[in-house]
Amino acid sequence: MDDVKPISIETLLAHRGWVRSLARRLVYDDSQVDDVEQQTWLAALERPPRRGQPRAWLAAVVRNVAS
């Protein structure tokens, strides 16, 4: 199972607008939206998902960061 490559950051970044929109729905202050989005992309760089639907993974990260 270790031979499964992570989903590329490029594939994840294709959902950038959606990530920002979700963050905006979860937190209302623009600076907090920025923070949630930045922390989400940091997590994507440090520990990208290895399988599954990118939006599902990103949604979980955004929700965790926002809480």
Side-chain angles (χ1 to χ4, degrees):
M1 202 175 266
D2 288 329
D3 60 341
V4 177
K5 292 185 180 183
I7 296 173
S8 73
I9 192 65
E10 291 82 10
T11 298
L12 295 173
L13 283 171
H15 303 282
R16 185 174 174 206
W18 181 83
V19 165
R20 182 142 185 100
S21 176
L22 178 58
R24 189 173 286 126
R25 286 190 302 259
L26 297 173
V27 296
Y28 301 105
D29 180 82
D30 282 340
S31 64
Q32 288 180 331
V33 171
D34 291 341
D35 290 344
V36 168
E37 186 179 13
Q38 289 173 5
Q39 289 298 316
T40 299
W41 297 123
L42 181 60
L45 287 170
E46 291 177 342
R47 295 173 307 283
R50 296 195 175 274
R51 65 182 78 231
Q53 298 297 319
R55 279 195 178 184
W57 185 87
L58 289 165
V61 174
V62 170
R63 287 185 183 107
N64 287 336
V65 171
S67 65

